[in-house]
Amino acid sequence: GERRFRLAEEEKNIRAQYGEEAFSKLPAGEPAAAMALGGLLNYLYETQKTDLSHIRELDYYRQGRFMELDLAARRNLELTETLRSKEKKGSLLWVLDKTKTPMGGRMLRSWLEQPLLSVTDIDRRSSAVAALVDDTIRREELIAGMTGLGDMERLIGRIVYGTAGGRDLTSLRAAMEKLPNLKEQLSGFSDRRLTKLTAELDTLDDISGDIAAAICDEPPFSVREGGIIRDGFNEEVDRLRHILKSGKGVMAEMEAKEKEKTGIRTLKIGYNKVFGYYIEVSNAFKEQVPETYIRKQTLVNGERFITQELKDLEHEILTASERVVALEYELFSALRQQIADNAGRIQKTAAAVAECDALCSFASVAVHNNFCRPEVDESGVIEITAGRHPVVEKVRGDAFFVPNDTHMGAKEDRVAIITGPNMAGKSTYMRQVALIVLMAQVGCFVPAQRAHIGVVDRIFTRIGASDDLAAGQSTFMVEMTEVSELLRCATKNSLLILDEIGRGTSTFDGMSIARAVLEHCAGKLKAKTLFATHYHELTTLEQELPNVRNYNVAVHARGEDIVFLRKIVPGGADRSYGIEVAKLAGLPDTVLKRAREILRELESQPRQPHTPAAREDQVSLEGMAEGAVADIIRRTQVDALSPLEALNLLYELKSKLQ
């Protein structure tokens, strides 16, 4: 516990593990990093009990190298797993991960979780992707060359720990044998990053050659039972194996020799468990037995003898199997150690293969899904032409997906208020903008006709009612906690995705909170904000604040039927379509009919001009005057109510009027 984190001791550990130079790179004024790292090393020494020399790269990064994504954003944007079923299918990773090796898969996943902030880094990655996109033949060759290439990182880990068996070595050899072809394909590219990867990719011929020479093609599972070393690799192993194999033959040779020497026709050599090999002579010939024979056992029709020569040979045969097993293990261990000494080379090559794999995956996804290369800079704008949601279009098939544009300037149009009915695709649109920004900063191509993205430092999302009821917090409480966190941490370079803020409480409270949050985002923060709401009253902000724009989801209405066009168009929504949405959701006709009647009654009542100032004196949330009942009805967001809430509201209003 306590003693694991003593500073002086930890610094000693770090120096020993990584060397002086790496130690000097750690931030001097922050002992926390050194203590954490030293404590971790300590834990590894205690638990692994083996040489950890293969852990030699020390990479320290501060906030500022990668875009920050908190847990809520990762979840809501469904980067590596879906919200509902927690599976990979349906996540961004599922769309982008076409990697062929386990190492590439791990690298691609870590890229998604750590989007880049430096424009140079992003460009370096996306030009490599572009080069691969342009050269189909070579890209396909590379992909074919990596298919089935084993997990070199895991294998070298096992080898260094000394837990690797013969099969691990042959897997490593099989992986390494694919490297020369890979290097050759890769060397055909002139892109800077790919050229550097070509240089970092060591074909490791010497190591795969050593494994091929020493280890047979199909080694047994266990390393301590022999049968692992290839014939012809080691003379002594071959000699012992010959004895084992030809034990019977050697005895037959000896039998023939003894017959000839003694002239005893019936002489034969046998074996039993009690005293091993023996020579048996029938009674008819027992006079001719030479002096050198030592009698061992008398039978009814003959005698059994042994000789010194027979004993020596027996010893040779019986111990050969133990000796060969021990020798093979020794040779195997020496080879394993020799490979472990080259761990650094192998790890570096594995990393190069992983990166090549991840880049090829991005390129082939870009080609197959018609993605474009985004222009990424420090401009602070987000301009997307015909953007699509990378996952939704895959799940639903391209034919059904309606592309949308996004325009957010460096100074103007920072906040977009999006109104429109619940099912019309507001959330999809907002997530799509966030995902396109994220993909651009990962160095990937994006689902759009063209895209110009100013680097974003953080993406915050606050999406709908995903209750954290298990933790005992109400939806509204969770929502407000998330919103407060977001307003505290966001900068003008952040991207905020806010969906239905304030819906967890009564209409007036909710609307006031939503409006205040919006004003803060547009005024004080000036962060790029997409704000979806069904409080139509908020659309008046467009006139009041300079950089706010209204958009809505186009709806085509035919009488009482509606069709969502899923197109985001400028301007606020003129009305809500709650009853039509309820109809699509399959509410009984009688309920719908009654709802329409109520709506007509409400709409026919004379409206009071509602100004924000008048609001305070009309409604006190504790005691409501009778006159306010009509006002409540007027402000109720019909499409935000569940059928049950609507009924409760009716009862409540009725009881107030009585």
Side-chain angles (χ1 to χ4, degrees):
E2 284 303 303
R3 68 179 178 74
R4 183 172 280 161
F5 294 105
R6 284 201 198 118
L7 189 59
E9 202 177 309
E10 305 319 349
E11 291 184 342
K12 196 178 87 215
N13 280 350
I14 297 169
R15 284 198 169 95
Q17 182 74 34
Y18 296 105
E20 231 9 270
E21 190 193 345
F23 178 73
S24 62
K25 283 192 196 144
L26 280 177
E30 301 172 31
M35 283 162 75
L37 176 63
L40 183 60
L41 285 171
N42 234 332
Y43 171 76
L44 288 173
Y45 298 150
E46 284 170 28
T47 53
Q48 300 304 326
K49 306 257 190 283
T50 70
D51 170 36
L52 293 176
S53 59
H54 69 299
I55 303 178
R56 49 166 83 80
E57 287 294 315
L58 178 55
D59 194 6
Y60 173 78
Y61 67 88
R62 278 195 171 77
Q63 288 176 326
R65 247 184 77 185
F66 301 120
M67 179 200 292
E68 284 208 36
L69 292 165
D70 56 0
L71 189 63
R74 279 167 212 245
R75 274 213 195 110
N76 285 326
L77 296 174
E78 305 189 303
L79 294 187
T80 54
E81 55 177 31
T82 57
L83 260 173
R84 281 224 175 107
S85 55
K86 299 268 176 266
E87 51 189 43
K88 182 177 165 183
K89 187 179 172 161
S91 68
L92 182 62
L93 182 64
W94 168 73
V95 175
L96 297 181
D97 185 2
K98 299 284 172 269
T99 53
K100 297 297 175 199
T101 69
M103 308 164 283
R106 286 194 292 274
M107 183 166 280
L108 190 136
R109 187 189 181 108
S110 74
W111 284 358
L112 278 194
E113 291 176 335
Q114 299 179 312
L116 304 164
L117 293 181
S118 133
V119 174
T120 10
D121 291 353
I122 294 168
D123 271 349
R124 195 174 297 140
R125 213 179 268 170
S126 71
S127 3
V129 176
L132 290 161
V133 164
D134 293 340
D135 194 336
T136 309
I137 294 176
R138 218 174 239 123
R139 179 181 74 246
E140 292 304 327
E141 286 289 334
L142 271 176
I143 291 172
M146 288 183 292
T147 308
L149 197 145
D151 196 336
M152 292 166 64
E153 289 175 337
R154 291 272 161 89
L155 290 167
I156 190 66
R158 283 209 207 100
I159 287 167
V160 172
Y161 282 138
T163 54
R167 294 180 183 187
D168 293 325
L169 264 53
T170 47
S171 306
L172 186 62
R173 169 192 149 198
M176 288 173 176
E177 285 173 349
K178 294 186 174 219
L179 297 174
N181 163 43
L182 213 56
K183 191 177 177 96
E184 193 182 326
Q185 297 301 335
L186 206 50
S187 63
F189 288 95
S190 54
D191 172 80
R192 284 212 4 236
R193 185 68 202 142
L194 296 177
T195 315
K196 191 159 183 293
L197 284 182
T198 312
E200 285 172 9
L201 199 148
D202 179 338
T203 53
L204 305 166
D205 306 318
D206 51 333
I207 301 178
S208 61
D210 290 346
I211 298 176
I215 307 292
C216 65
D217 290 336
E218 294 189 0
F221 187 69
S222 160
V223 289
R224 294 184 184 271
E225 287 168 20
I228 209 166
I229 299 293
R230 192 185 287 283
D231 284 337
F233 176 69
N234 176 283
E235 279 181 29
E236 182 62 6
V237 170
D238 291 348
R239 195 180 71 81
L240 291 168
R241 281 190 181 155
H242 175 71
I243 292 173
L244 278 173
K245 269 207 201 71
S246 51
K248 286 198 179 75
V250 174
M251 285 301 172
E253 272 168 38
M254 191 172 178
E255 185 176 84
K257 201 171 75 191
E258 291 295 320
K259 267 188 190 164
E260 200 174 336
K261 212 160 69 184
T262 57
I264 303 173
R265 244 191 6 257
T266 60
L267 180 145
K268 64 174 194 284
I269 295 182
Y271 174 84
N272 78 13
K273 280 198 172 126
V274 183
F275 50 74
Y277 287 98
Y278 54 80
I279 298 173
E280 191 171 308
V281 177
S282 62
N283 288 336
F285 291 96
K286 85 176 161 200
E287 303 312 319
Q288 293 177 10
V289 171
E291 308 271 292
T292 51
Y293 281 27
I294 304 155
R295 178 181 291 128
K296 240 344 193 186
Q297 190 183 19
T298 307
L299 305 170
V300 179
N301 51 0
E303 309 251 324
R304 285 178 178 173
F305 302 89
I306 57 168
T307 66
Q308 192 52 46
E309 194 189 355
L310 188 61
K311 274 286 150 226
D312 294 345
L313 194 58
E314 170 183 74
H315 179 73
E316 180 93 283
I317 289 174
L318 294 182
T319 59
S321 87
E322 286 160 34
R323 273 159 50 217
V324 77
V325 166
L327 180 57
E328 285 196 46
Y329 181 68
E330 205 176 295
L331 291 166
F332 173 77
S333 299
L335 175 65
R336 186 166 64 186
Q337 188 50 52
Q338 182 198 329
I339 300 171
D341 295 340
N342 282 290
R345 284 172 65 199
I346 297 170
Q347 283 168 319
K348 193 169 166 189
T349 293
V353 172
E355 187 168 335
C356 172
D357 193 8
L359 291 169
C360 280
S361 178
F362 278 174
S364 79
V365 170
V367 170
H368 293 271
N369 301 334
N370 200 4
F371 289 1
C372 77
R373 180 174 176 182
E375 182 189 339
V376 181
D377 52 28
E378 301 277 3
S379 63
V381 307
I382 295 183
E383 302 272 358
I384 302 169
T385 311
R388 317 184 302 272
H389 189 299
V391 183
V392 177
E393 75 168 351
K394 281 306 265 184
V395 174
R396 304 186 38 193
D398 302 343
F400 300 111
F401 198 88
V402 180
N404 273 304
D405 298 348
T406 305
H407 166 84
M408 299 175 120
K411 295 275 185 293
E412 71 301 335
D413 301 353
R414 301 292 278 170
V415 177
I417 299 177
I418 306 164
T419 45
N422 277 357
M423 288 187 24
K426 294 191 300 255
S427 302
T428 302
Y429 170 70
M430 296 199 309
R431 280 195 174 100
Q432 146 190 332
V433 176
L435 287 175
I436 288 176
V437 169
L438 185 127
M439 286 164 74
Q441 287 184 234
V442 165
C444 179
F445 280 27
V446 300
Q449 259 171 30
R450 48 174 297 278
H452 177 193
I453 307 290
V455 168
V456 163
D457 61 359
R458 289 184 74 154
I459 294 178
F460 290 95
T461 59
R462 169 60 221 147
I463 291 186
S466 53
D467 294 18
D468 196 353
L469 295 180
Q473 293 180 303
S474 73
T475 312
F476 184 61
M477 182 67 188
V478 173
E479 172 173 68
M480 289 302 110
T481 319
E482 284 184 16
V483 172
S484 64
E485 166 77 3
L486 172 160
L487 296 179
R488 213 174 51 242
C489 303
T491 71
K492 70 174 192 332
N493 293 326
S494 305
L495 173 63
L496 314 185
I497 303 289
L498 304 175
D499 196 353
E500 311 284 12
I501 295 286
R503 80 193 276 186
T505 181
S506 75
T507 309
F508 287 116
D509 282 7
M511 200 153 64
S512 335
I513 291 170
R515 187 181 169 108
V517 167
L518 248 176
E519 286 175 3
H520 183 82
C521 294
K524 186 158 177 263
L525 277 179
K526 298 197 170 36
K528 294 184 277 275
T529 308
L530 293 170
F531 196 102
T533 181
H534 48 241
Y535 296 131
H536 300 271
E537 289 82 349
L538 293 177
T539 52
T540 57
L541 277 172
E542 186 177 61
Q543 280 82 56
E544 296 164 34
L545 291 167
N547 50 8
V548 174
R549 283 281 163 278
N550 285 326
Y551 295 93
N552 69 71
V553 182
V555 172
H556 181 58
R558 278 198 308 268
E560 287 176 355
D561 292 334
I562 55 164
V563 181
F564 296 125
L565 301 178
R566 293 203 161 77
K567 200 75 180 152
I568 307 285
V569 294
D574 48 353
R575 50 165 292 213
S576 63
Y577 292 87
I579 293 178
E580 289 82 347
V581 175
K583 178 178 175 184
L584 285 181
L587 233 63
D589 289 344
T590 47
V591 177
L592 292 170
K593 196 168 156 215
R594 178 70 188 121
R596 284 200 187 95
E597 283 168 22
I598 298 171
L599 184 66
R600 272 197 292 278
E601 279 168 33
L602 296 178
E603 283 176 341
S604 65
Q605 290 178 5
R607 296 210 162 196
Q608 300 164 335
H610 47 260
T611 55
R615 200 172 280 168
E616 267 76 78
D617 52 33
Q618 283 174 355
V619 168
S620 80
L621 291 170
E622 289 80 27
M624 293 200 186
E626 274 185 20
V629 168
D631 209 46
I632 297 171
I633 297 173
R634 192 170 303 116
R635 291 195 208 284
T636 299
Q637 289 294 318
V638 182
D639 57 352
L641 294 179
S642 70
L644 188 61
E645 287 168 340
L647 282 173
N648 289 341
L649 181 70
L650 270 175
Y651 277 122
E652 195 185 329
L653 296 175
K654 200 164 157 49
S655 64
K656 286 199 191 314
L657 288 173
Q658 278 166 358

